[in-house]
Amino acid sequence: MITAPKQLTPYTDKDQDCLKAMASTFNQVLHLAEQYGWTRQEAAAAIQELAYQHLAAEEETRLTTISSAVTSHARH
């Protein structure tokens, strides 16, 4: 089960609280992957790659939004 953050706004150690909240579910996913024939290492590496791809896509979207705003502002 994933627990909610102490508050929705940023606070000290929020990232660590998120890590703790995700740990149990992460281990459950690794266990489930093992049941289907993957090793824990393979599953963890796949999750790491998925996280990297997600973060890269988010950054690309952020940069595109900024670029569009700058281009739009330059026209006016």
Side-chain angles (χ1 to χ4, degrees), residues 24-45:
S24 177
T25 300
F26 176 75
N27 285 318
Q28 290 173 0
V29 169
L30 294 182
H31 181 71
L32 184 61
E34 279 185 304
Q35 289 179 330
Y36 282 91
W38 302 101
T39 67
R40 292 177 75 81
Q41 292 79 11
E42 290 167 331

Side-chain angles (χ1 to χ4, degrees), residues 4-5 7-8 10-13 20 23 28-30 32-33 37 44 48 52 54 56 58 62 67 70 72 74-75:
Q7 60 190 50
L8 297 179
Y11 62 90
T12 303
D13 294 332
K20 290 175 192 171
Q28 290 173 0
V29 169
L30 294 182
L32 184 61
Q48 181 180 27
Y52 174 79
H54 173 78
E58 290 285 325
R62 186 183 74 79
S67 178
V70 169
S72 175
R75 290 185 196 156

